[in-house]
Amino acid sequence: MEQNGSLERQVWQRVTAPITQGASVGVEPLLREVLAQVGLYRQLSGRLSGSAGELCRKLLSSYQASEAALRGMGILSGETPSSRPSTALPRMTDGQLLALSFQRSQQLLTEFTARSVAPDFGTAFRRLADGEGENGVLILRLLGTIPYR
């Protein structure tokens, strides 16, 4: 319970922090996290079938859209878009991979929320945060549909 309060406090500190020049500059770390999610769901969607596979494909599509938006922000900010790194999955069960994915999703949600007050891309980050909140729920649903191993 204390950890949730601490996380909430951290999010609000970032959201209410004064806006600095170039607050949303540097989307590269976010792009790397999103690319890790893209790789994870690309591989999982090939391994899982039925409703679990469908949820994987929905998550893959969502993360690909986030990737494109972050790349666009990077281009407008003068950053050179990085190429897609190879994202080999660690040796984990599907359930462990989804737990890792949920943690990444929560980190992305925190980052997108913190950047939603930036003057240049604030609106885009708010939309990405909303989408990431939905992704978190989908990940939990997916975790609940696969056999626990």
Side-chain angles (χ1 to χ4, degrees), residues 8-73:
E8 184 178 345
R9 198 169 26 262
Q10 288 173 357
V11 169
W12 280 112
Q13 285 173 344
R14 292 180 119 181
V15 170
T16 59
I19 299 172
T20 59
Q21 186 67 14
S24 65
V25 174
V27 297
E28 189 67 29
L30 298 174
L31 184 57
R32 279 194 303 272
E33 287 297 311
V34 167
L35 285 170
Q37 295 287 72
V38 167
L40 187 143
Y41 288 105
R42 181 172 285 129
Q43 290 187 34
L44 275 181
S45 65
R47 292 195 324 219
L48 299 175
S49 60
S51 63
E54 186 178 321
L55 285 171
C56 279
R57 287 185 292 281
K58 188 180 272 190
L59 284 159
L60 175 59
S61 177
S62 176
Y63 282 113
Q64 287 171 327
S66 294
E67 174 193 356
L70 289 169
R71 284 187 185 282
M73 286 182 221

Side-chain angles (χ1 to χ4, degrees), residues 114-126:
R115 294 172 186 231
S116 69
V117 296
D120 46 3
F121 300 118
T123 302
F125 279 116
R126 275 191 293 279

Side-chain angles (χ1 to χ4, degrees), residues 76-131:
L76 290 178
S77 297
E79 295 179 17
T80 304
S82 65
S83 60
R84 285 189 170 173
S86 67
T87 51
L89 292 179
R91 289 194 172 271
M92 300 173 141
T93 66
D94 293 345
Q96 290 170 327
L97 287 171
L98 290 171
L100 175 63
S101 175
F102 183 75
Q103 291 172 347
R104 283 184 189 147
S105 174
Q106 295 306 292
Q107 290 170 345
L108 284 167
L109 176 60
T110 299
E111 289 296 326
F112 292 156
T113 301
R115 294 172 186 231
S116 69
V117 296
D120 46 3
F121 300 118
T123 302
F125 279 116
R126 275 191 293 279
R127 295 290 303 270
L128 288 171
D130 291 343

